[in-house]
Amino acid sequence: LLEAMEEQQVSVEGVTMQLPDPYIVIATQNPLEYQGVFPLPEAQLDRFSVKINANYLAKDMEVQMLKLDNIDLKTLKPIMSQEDILWLRNKISKVYVSDPLLDYTVNLIHSIRLNPNTSYGPSPRTTKGLLRLAKVKALRRKRTFVIPDDIIEMFKSAISHRFFLSSQAKFEGVGKDQIMTEALKQVELP
């Protein structure tokens, strides 16, 4: 998993295989029944772009899920080609971000790093990831430039798994969401 994320390859029994371009890595973490499973170290968690907390489905959505259970997977058709994805990736890289928004992004990350309730802050990889997600958000909204709302909306998903609370913060019941919300309130918008 980690080799795939960093080196775009996988090795099995001494045989190394390059992954296709593009590829995606999706991992799950079940908060229940984790005996014998060890949490990933901080540096490895940092390689994941986003963390999404999946809640229980609403009743109607759960019924829809059950109906989908009977679908023959062989009948599914791709909605995008490899070329489409590569074209989109190129388009995302061209989304404009102004210098004040670059500063804003860095200031948000630094506010988390410098928060006394943080024992281990987000890395520069986090800053790059947040900006990339903001560009995706802008493009999804049919814009060729990022606005503050793009950064704000992606902020928590991009960093919640990339910083760690101090022992004192845990003892006092301070949560990550509280620290992230404080950062969004305290860092001045451009």
Side-chain angles (χ1 to χ4, degrees), residues 153-186:
E153 289 176 31
M154 299 312 300
F155 181 66
K156 290 182 179 182
S157 294
I159 75 156
S160 65
H161 61 294
R162 293 172 134 164
F163 75 98
F164 299 88
L165 299 173
S166 68
S167 298
Q168 185 68 28
K170 291 176 188 174
F171 177 75
E172 293 174 359
V174 175
K176 286 185 175 186
D177 193 66
Q178 181 180 340
I179 293 171
M180 293 183 292
T181 301
E182 278 177 29
L184 289 169
K185 287 180 183 174
Q186 291 174 355

Side-chain angles (χ1 to χ4, degrees), residues 47-66:
R47 298 185 191 288
F48 289 91
S49 297
V50 293
K51 178 180 181 180
I52 301 168
N53 291 318
N55 297 317
Y56 288 115
L57 297 173
K59 287 181 183 179
D60 59 331
M61 295 297 291
E62 199 161 353
V63 169
Q64 281 298 109
M65 177 193 71
L66 293 173

Side-chain angles (χ1 to χ4, degrees), residues 120-171:
Y120 180 84
S123 72
R125 180 184 282 131
T126 305
T127 315
K128 288 176 69 174
L130 173 56
L131 203 58
R132 193 173 323 112
L133 290 168
K135 288 179 171 189
V136 169
K137 181 67 82 172
L139 197 60
R140 285 194 64 216
R141 292 184 171 151
K142 300 183 181 1
R143 279 186 278 101
T144 58
F145 56 91
V146 170
I147 62 173
D149 284 350
D150 299 325
I151 297 165
I152 291 166
E153 289 176 31
M154 299 312 300
F155 181 66
K156 290 182 179 182
S157 294
I159 75 156
S160 65
H161 61 294
R162 293 172 134 164
F163 75 98
F164 299 88
L165 299 173
S166 68
S167 298
Q168 185 68 28
K170 291 176 188 174
F171 177 75

Side-chain angles (χ1 to χ4, degrees), residues 76-130:
L76 296 179
K77 303 279 187 252
I79 58 170
M80 294 182 85
S81 70
Q82 181 179 10
E83 292 77 24
D84 293 335
I85 295 169
L86 292 171
W87 178 84
L88 267 176
R89 185 168 68 186
N90 182 49
K91 192 113 168 126
I92 290 164
S93 72
K94 294 179 179 171
V95 172
Y96 175 74
V97 184
S98 68
D99 285 347
L101 283 181
L102 292 174
D103 288 340
Y104 177 67
T105 303
V106 169
N107 290 339
L108 282 172
I109 298 298
H110 276 255
S111 73
I112 299 293
R113 286 182 192 147
L114 298 174
N115 188 304
N117 291 309
T118 299
S119 66
Y120 180 84
S123 72
R125 180 184 282 131
T126 305
T127 315
K128 288 176 69 174
L130 173 56

